Amino acid sequence: MQAGSREFVLHDGASAGPDVLHAVSGAVSDSIAWANGGPVSLCRRTWLDTFDWRLYRAGLTLEQVTAHGHVELTLTGRDGDVLASERLQGGAISWPSLLTALPPGPLRELLEPVAGVRALSPVARAASRVAALRALNGDAKTVATLAVDQMSVTFPARAIAPVRLTLEPLRGYQGQAERAARLLAGLPGVSAGRGSALATALSAAGYRPGERPGKAVGIALSPDRPASTAMAAILTSLLDSLEANVPGTMRDIDTEFLHDLRIAVRWTRSALKLGANALSDGLAASFRPEFGWLGSLTTPTRDLDVYLLGFSGMAAGLVGATEIELAPFRDHLLKSRAVAYRQLARGLRSARFRRLTADWRAALAGVRAVRKRPTIGQLADARIAAADRKALRAGELITASSPAESLHDLRKRCKELRYVVEMFGSLHDPAQRWQAVRELKALQDCLGEFQDAEVQRAEIRAFAAQMLAERSAPAETLLAMGEIAAGLAVRQHEARARFDGRFADFASPASQARLAALARTSAA
């Protein structure tokens, strides 16, 4: 919207068709009258965002409008100002799509740091019938234009939205345009417009912007709640998150669907280990192998995704080779990923997976409070304290001569500690929890870089051997892969050099005092 524009919503007569124009044009005074502003315009509107609403959370709205045979994308900010627009010369894009489907230009450049690797998908669709009126002063001069937007929502549910009125003053007539605005505000059923057209469309359909199905984080827990029902609530939320990401994973929309699915699986496996005693006898043990199978099923595709996402970075770090020489390696990764993904999709379509999710949901729904078992506060205290002791003990045993396996074991202990802190996060002071997780994450990142470099070096050697056996790699490609492996060795050495400092920070009295405070929930 331009400066000075005014938005109104007409709730009454939302589906009144021509009667809406009659009602508006009847709002006249001695100084303001209304005239036809041109033919009625028909358009299709699609609002786009990522699955986790990254644009909305950044204060951005991306709308695709199809009208008169043209397709235009417009990006607006929080105040409705247009930040960028792009007319698509080849016609509409088939959504969902990655940002690479957009032509290079300002629009794509603004979206890339926000959307990242996530695809854009429709979050709402509507058809609009937009009529135009002109506000005339006493001299019959146009002082403002009024767009009357009658919108029918078609997705995520069918609904008729309230009529939106957008008054745009002409330059030099701001004062007289305000009189027209007061006339509109006095109409029955008219209120000041609040929120974007997207918010209006979603509200009419019974939704709100930013709603993400199956979000696993943010369960509110009370310390005195029975641990059995609290753990069931946590695990049910994780199952919701897992299932919410299955369709996007099956359609291979973007790599984050599989990533988030795996996070839900990892958290579930950790919760089954940490909270086994709080659940009904044998419940955790009976489902743990199936979630282990699911974790193994998803690993190969995700590992290859990580390589492909980081390929440009690997190529950019080459000194003795070029990205072109590395291209056969990328082709090999893509082929391997296609094979792994087919296996993943078969697994997610299988009766075994359907049975797992259905049986697991039914089992969690049947969990009841058990008097003899602890409260969730007591369980959280015990698990945080125990996980912290294990991490400290494992780290204190590491010396300069310790094998890599010692650091890998510490990484597992740190993961377990972080899972339990975040799993029971609502029991703790947010600032204290954030600082504890921040310090733990710094150590985890160092250990992760150390282990990832070692694993990737071994995998690159295995890729090279396979490509050599298949005769799919020229000598220069194998040499370039060798250079990448050498770079990973340097990264691993640098991560090992940072370890002592990172662990000292984690083991410091201040850091341990924060973790100890988190382990006193039941006594608070």
Side-chain angles (χ1 to χ4, degrees):
M1 291 190 302
Q2 69 180 47
S5 298
R6 296 286 298 275
E7 288 274 359
F8 301 92
V9 175
L10 176 59
H11 294 277
D12 293 345
S15 59
D19 290 343
V20 173
L21 294 180
H22 179 73
V24 172
S25 59
V28 296
S29 68
D30 293 340
S31 57
I32 296 294
W34 300 92
N36 190 336
V40 172
S41 173
L42 303 176
C43 66
R44 298 193 307 274
R45 310 169 73 166
T46 300
W47 290 273
L48 302 157
D49 210 324
T50 63
F51 180 72
D52 49 2
W53 292 87
R54 294 185 181 186
L55 303 189
Y56 173 77
R57 298 184 193 286
L60 302 174
T61 301
L62 181 62
E63 181 180 5
Q64 175 181 282
V65 175
T66 304
H68 310 299
H70 299 296
V71 181
E72 188 162 5
L73 284 167
T74 301
L75 182 68
T76 54
R78 292 185 191 277
D79 54 4
D81 286 348
V82 174
L83 303 178
S85 62
E86 182 83 43
R87 177 168 287 190
L88 303 180
Q89 301 300 329
I93 294 172
S94 177
W95 305 109
S97 286
L98 297 172
L99 291 181
T100 50
L102 295 176
L107 177 62
R108 182 166 155 180
E109 290 174 3
L110 288 170
L111 290 171
E112 281 175 341
V114 181
V117 298
R118 298 236 67 161
L120 295 174
S121 299
V123 293
R125 291 192 184 96
S128 278
R129 182 180 185 274
V130 183
L133 294 175
R134 293 180 295 125
L136 308 178
N137 64 10
D139 297 328
K141 292 183 178 179
T142 301
V143 299
T145 59
L146 179 69
V148 182
D149 184 358
Q150 299 175 79
M151 185 164 55
S152 298
V153 184
T154 57
F155 174 81
R158 292 191 173 275
I160 301 298
V163 176
R164 293 176 62 87
L165 309 173
T166 304
L167 187 72
E168 303 274 6
L170 269 64
R171 182 176 298 179
Y173 292 100
Q174 184 67 48
Q176 295 180 65
E178 279 298 318
R179 296 175 193 163
R182 287 194 292 271
L183 282 173
L184 293 173
L187 285 173
V190 169
S191 62
R194 292 183 177 87
S196 63
L198 169 60
T200 300
L202 287 173
S203 177
Y207 291 79
R208 291 183 300 174
E211 285 186 336
R212 179 183 179 183
K215 187 173 174 59
V217 180
I219 302 171
L221 298 172
S222 173
D224 56 357
R225 182 175 180 178
S228 54
T229 59
M231 288 303 302
I234 291 171
L235 288 162
T236 299
S237 178
L238 289 168
L239 178 57
D240 290 340
S241 180
L242 188 160
E243 291 185 324
N245 283 286
V246 169
T249 301
M250 292 289 291
R251 294 174 62 191
D252 209 13
I253 292 173
D254 65 45
T255 58
E256 289 299 285
F257 284 100
L258 175 57
H259 178 53
D260 289 349
L261 188 155
R262 282 175 55 78
I263 288 174
V265 172
R266 286 203 305 268
W267 274 55
T268 297
R269 296 177 68 185
S270 181
L272 287 174
K273 178 182 178 182
L274 298 169
N277 294 337
L279 297 170
S280 304
D281 294 337
L283 182 60
S286 62
F287 279 93
R288 195 178 294 148
E290 288 302 283
F291 280 102
W293 163 75
L294 186 55
S296 298
L297 174 69
T298 59
T299 296
T301 303
R302 179 57 191 174
D303 286 349
L304 289 161
D305 281 344
V306 170
Y307 274 107
L308 289 165
L309 289 169
F311 186 84
S312 296
M314 286 192 296
L318 291 171
V319 176
T322 66
E323 184 170 353
I324 294 176
E325 292 171 336
L326 200 60
F329 178 39
R330 187 175 188 276
D331 293 340
H332 179 79
L333 292 173
L334 287 169
K335 291 177 183 177
S336 300
R337 203 262 182 194
V339 172
Y341 176 74
R342 285 195 294 271
Q343 295 172 342
L344 169 63
R346 280 197 297 271
L348 294 178
R349 284 194 298 266
S350 69
R352 182 178 184 178
F353 177 72
R354 292 195 301 272
R355 187 166 53 247
L356 167 60
T357 54
D359 291 353
W360 183 227
R361 188 172 293 280
L364 292 173
V367 171
R368 298 291 181 264
V370 181
R371 290 183 180 179
K372 294 183 180 180
R373 290 199 169 99
T375 66
I376 194 63
Q378 293 168 336
L379 178 66
D381 292 352
R383 291 294 179 258
I384 291 173
D388 186 34
R389 285 195 301 270
K390 289 179 181 178
L392 274 176
R393 191 180 306 122
E396 288 168 349
L397 294 174
I398 294 176
T399 66
S401 59
S402 294
E405 287 74 15
S406 298
L407 278 80
H408 300 342
D409 182 67
L410 176 59
R411 186 190 186 194
K412 294 176 184 176
R413 304 286 77 78
C414 288
K415 275 187 175 182
E416 186 173 290
L417 175 57
R418 184 173 172 186
Y419 283 152
V420 74
V421 168
E422 293 190 334
M423 189 180 304
F424 304 126
S426 64
L427 297 172
H428 307 124
D429 174 69
Q432 196 171 47
R433 183 184 72 245
W434 178 85
Q435 185 63 28
V437 170
R438 179 174 175 269
E439 292 164 346
L440 180 57
K441 186 176 182 298
L443 175 58
Q444 272 188 281
D445 289 346
C446 177
L447 293 168
E449 188 168 353
F450 178 87
Q451 184 176 4
D452 291 347
E454 181 176 49
V455 170
Q456 289 176 9
R457 283 172 62 200
E459 288 177 338
I460 285 177
R461 286 195 292 268
F463 285 138
Q466 184 178 359
M467 293 168 68
L468 188 62
E470 296 173 352
R471 299 181 179 180
S472 61
E476 55 265 26
T477 298
L478 297 176
L479 289 171
M481 293 170 67
E483 185 179 339
I484 290 175
L488 288 168
V490 171
R491 280 177 50 193
Q492 186 179 19
H493 178 75
E494 292 172 344
R496 181 64 182 84
R498 292 194 302 271
F499 165 73
D500 291 340
R502 293 286 189 269
F503 183 76
D505 291 341
F506 166 73
S508 69
S511 176
Q512 288 302 303
R514 274 185 282 273
L515 286 165
L518 295 181
R520 290 194 295 268
T521 302
S522 58

